[in-house]
Amino acid sequence: MKQKIGLTTPMSETMIYILLSLQEEMHGYGVMHRVKKMTQGRIVLGAGTIYQTLGKLEKNGLIQCIREEDRRKIYRSTPLGKEMLEAEKTRIHQLYQNLEAYL
Amino acid sequence: MNKTFLFKPYQYPHPAALEQWLEQKASEGWYPDRLTHIHSMGMRLEKREPMQYKYIVDLQARCTAEYRRIYADLGWEYVGRMSSMHIWRQAYDDVPPASFTDMDSLNSRNRRFYIAISIVFWVMMLLVAVLAGVFLLERFGVLAIQDDPVDIWVDRIMPIVILGTVGTFIGLSARRVRHRK
């Protein structure tokens, strides 16, 4: 599925966190704050990274712009985006289990 | 007081190098203000109080309202654009702010820069090849140009240069008007 929609596998950490944030309606600036809070300040997304990643996710149909407020686009994940997150969750869970078992 | 630096964007093969030059100039108190397309040929810097600034050179074919809003929300000041090259800056005290915070987006910015530079390079090479071809064909008698060399410039080369310049100006203006809508 990932090859079909043109994204490299696995998804980058940035992409996963942005997609995860957009399970709720949010604009780019809100995404930056949400990711910072979720990672306890470990990941602070820059403007260029947010703009590019939102564009890539929207182009691949994983998020969509639902409206605009004060020249800010408000995005939300699509069903395909949620499906991709579920697939990543399975992959990362397996990775975690293997690290626990063999490290 | 101000200083003008000629063809600065063309002197750096990597956007990070242009950023470093601008940051060094800011630490010496020299700042570009309101950059426009023409400033790629001559960048005028104004003298003010030296400060620490982080500069970002980004390449975007379209400067959307969303693009400018995201940068502005995160504290970046828009300095201007030279063609598709957008310049942003932000003052800082200790830790310089970053715009590209993962390898994917940084590599993507660099790739866009190389593509833009490559297009300019190959267009220039094509122009040189055409002019060299015309010269060689004329030199070996394949192409018989009877006119005086000055007439060739006035009658053939200059109209192409003028049409090219006017076409580029109209194209850029049309794109700007379309993006404002």
Side-chain angles (χ1 to χ4, degrees):
Chain A
M1 180 176 65
K2 290 174 189 177
Q3 294 298 335
K4 191 178 155 191
I5 62 168
L7 283 176
T8 54
T9 52
M11 284 171 76
S12 69
E13 192 177 13
T14 299
M15 211 173 264
I16 291 173
Y17 271 117
I18 291 180
L19 196 48
L20 188 57
S21 302
L22 291 174
Q23 297 310 298
E24 292 174 28
E25 295 177 5
M26 212 170 283
H27 51 62
Y29 187 54
V31 167
M32 189 277 284
H33 278 292
R34 175 59 63 88
V35 173
K36 188 176 177 183
K37 193 176 171 189
M38 275 196 285
T39 60
Q40 284 136 29
R42 181 174 66 85
I43 297 177
V44 182
L45 297 173
T49 297
I50 294 174
Y51 181 72
Q52 274 187 38
T53 311
L54 287 174
K56 201 183 283 185
L57 290 170
E58 190 178 22
K59 190 180 161 194
N60 285 288
L62 304 191
I63 62 170
Q64 60 183 355
C65 173
I66 51 175
R67 65 177 184 281
E68 283 192 34
E69 280 176 12
D70 192 22
R71 295 198 306 154
R72 291 187 182 97
K73 282 186 175 183
I74 311 290
Y75 296 95
R76 190 183 169 89
S77 172
T78 62
L80 179 61
K82 190 160 188 185
E83 202 179 321
M84 287 287 290
L85 270 185
E86 290 290 346
E88 282 298 298
K89 187 172 140 188
T90 306
R91 183 185 67 79
I92 293 167
H93 185 64
Q94 188 188 46
L95 175 68
Y96 174 76
Q97 281 182 324
N98 284 329
L99 283 169
E100 282 287 303
Y102 296 104
L103 195 66
Chain B
M1 190 166 55
N2 59 62
K3 273 185 194 175
T4 301
F5 295 85
L6 298 177
F7 302 107
K8 267 296 160 191
Y10 303 105
Q11 291 174 23
Y12 296 101
H14 197 285
L18 180 57
E19 290 171 2
Q20 278 175 10
W21 179 77
L22 288 165
E23 287 158 15
Q24 190 202 327
K25 285 290 156 201
S27 70
E28 296 166 8
W30 293 99
Y31 302 91
D33 286 315
R34 294 274 161 214
L35 290 176
T36 57
H37 301 297
I38 197 75
H39 291 109
S40 61
M41 287 184 274
M43 192 186 288
R44 201 173 77 162
L45 306 188
E46 305 259 349
K47 182 73 173 166
R48 292 202 297 271
E49 193 70 22
M51 277 180 75
Q52 272 193 314
Y53 267 97
K54 174 67 190 166
Y55 276 85
I56 293 296
V57 175
D58 193 8
L59 259 92
Q60 295 289 338
R62 295 185 60 203
C63 182
T64 61
E66 165 81 346
Y67 173 68
R68 291 183 71 147
R69 188 79 216 191
I70 287 178
Y71 267 88
D73 278 346
L74 271 76
W76 293 94
E77 177 195 350
Y78 191 60
V79 184
R81 68 183 293 182
M82 293 174 283
S83 187
S84 55
M85 185 189 288
H86 300 266
I87 313 285
W88 298 88
R89 71 179 165 211
Q90 190 173 149
Y92 68 95
D93 293 324
D94 303 319
V95 182
S99 175
F100 301 98
T101 47
D102 71 350
M103 288 310 292
D104 279 353
S105 56
L106 186 62
N107 289 339
S108 176
R109 187 278 302 257
N110 292 342
R111 196 166 51 246
R112 288 197 302 276
F113 191 86
Y114 295 138
I115 290 169
I117 292 289
S118 301
I119 290 171
V120 171
F121 175 77
W122 285 113
V123 167
M124 295 288 283
M125 291 303 288
L126 185 67
L127 191 64
V128 169
V130 168
L131 289 175
V134 169
F135 173 77
L136 288 173
L137 288 172
E138 195 272 336
R139 180 78 178 79
F140 291 106
V142 179
L143 192 68
I145 297 175
Q146 304 295 334
D147 299 345
D148 185 78
V150 175
D151 291 342
I152 294 172
W153 272 97
V154 172
D155 294 345
R156 297 161 197 239
I157 307 293
M158 286 309 288
I160 293 171
V161 172
I162 290 168
L163 279 174
T165 309
V166 171
T168 307
F169 178 76
I170 291 170
L172 286 171
S173 303
R175 197 175 70 164
R176 200 176 303 162
V177 167
R178 201 180 70 229
H179 289 163
R180 268 188 203 148
K181 287 179 182 172

